[in-house]
Amino acid sequence: MQLEIGKIYEGKVKGITQYGAFVDIDGGGTGMVHISEIANTYVSEIRDHLTENQQVKVKVIGINEAGKVSLSIKKAVENPQPQGQNQNRNNNRRRNDAQRSKPNVWEPKKTVPMSELSFEDMLTRFKQNSEERMCDIKRSTDRKNGSRRK
C-alpha cells in the first residue's frame, strides 16, 4: 500500500528512541514520529506518552526523497474533549493571550537600603555597578577614538 501525505492511518509503536518513536503502519511500512509531534504539550520523556506495541493513529506529514516517512500523532487525533471543555480552554487561551500581550515595559528594581543588605549582596552590587561603569567608559573612549566597528 502506498502512503499518502495528509492521510491518517492505524499503526503500532515498534521502537522508542530519545528523539521520537518508530511506528509500523498497517500494510504501509514504517515511519517516525518526532518527539515534537507526539502530543500538544511539551514532551520531555516519550515513554510517558507511548509504549512499545501500542496501537496509535498517525497522520503522514511528509515523505522525503529517500522514502523516509514523517508521522504525527498530535495532528491525527481529533480533539476528544466535549464542547464545554473546549470553550473553557478557548477562554483560558484568550485570557493568557491578553496577559502576554501587555507591553514589555521596563520597571526599576526595588532598591533595598544598604543597611539591610548583607556583605555579599553589597559586594555583588558593587561589582555589577563597577562592570557597568567600565563598559560605559570603554564605549565612550572607543567613540572618541573613532574605533567603532563599521
Side-chain angles (χ1 to χ4, degrees):
M1 175 171 89
Q2 184 69 24
L3 297 176
E4 294 179 38
I5 295 175
K7 278 197 145 187
I8 297 174
Y9 298 93
E10 286 284 332
K12 184 184 276 190
V13 177
K14 283 298 177 186
I16 297 176
T17 66
Q18 194 173 9
Y19 52 86
F22 291 94
V23 176
D24 273 349
I25 298 171
D26 296 337
T30 302
M32 193 195 79
V33 180
H34 188 265
I35 190 169
S36 64
E37 292 293 331
I38 290 177
N40 285 321
T41 61
Y42 176 74
V43 177
S44 62
E45 182 59 46
I46 296 171
R47 292 185 190 278
D48 292 343
H49 297 268
L50 298 174
T51 59
E52 290 186 10
N53 296 320
Q54 177 182 350
Q55 288 288 334
V56 292
K57 284 188 177 183
V58 291
K59 183 174 184 176
V60 177
I61 57 174
I63 303 173
N64 71 6
E65 301 84 33
K68 292 184 179 181
V69 180
S70 297
L71 304 171
S72 174
I73 293 174
K74 70 181 183 182
K75 292 179 182 171
V77 176
E78 297 294 325
N79 219 347
Q81 297 176 332
Q83 184 61 30
Q85 289 180 355
N86 281 340
Q87 187 64 36
N88 288 338
R89 191 176 65 193
N90 288 338
N91 289 341
N92 289 339
R93 185 177 296 144
R94 280 189 214 106
R95 192 177 311 117
N96 289 340
D97 288 345
Q99 288 172 349
R100 269 186 255 147
S101 65
K102 291 179 182 174
N104 189 8
V105 178
W106 178 84
E107 294 179 11
K109 292 182 182 176
K110 294 177 179 150
T111 56
V112 179
M114 290 294 261
S115 60
E116 295 179 17
L117 293 175
S118 69
F119 176 75
E120 288 83 12
D121 292 335
M122 287 190 290
L123 191 58
T124 302
R125 186 182 283 184
F126 173 77
K127 183 179 175 189
Q128 183 179 6
N129 287 339
S130 297
E131 288 174 356
E132 289 173 0
R133 288 179 182 167
M134 289 300 290
C135 285
D136 289 342
I137 291 169
K138 185 176 184 325
R139 197 175 303 124
S140 176
T141 55
D142 285 350
R143 284 189 194 131
K144 289 177 183 173
N145 293 336
S147 61
R148 285 192 301 180
R149 292 183 180 157
K150 294 179 181 178

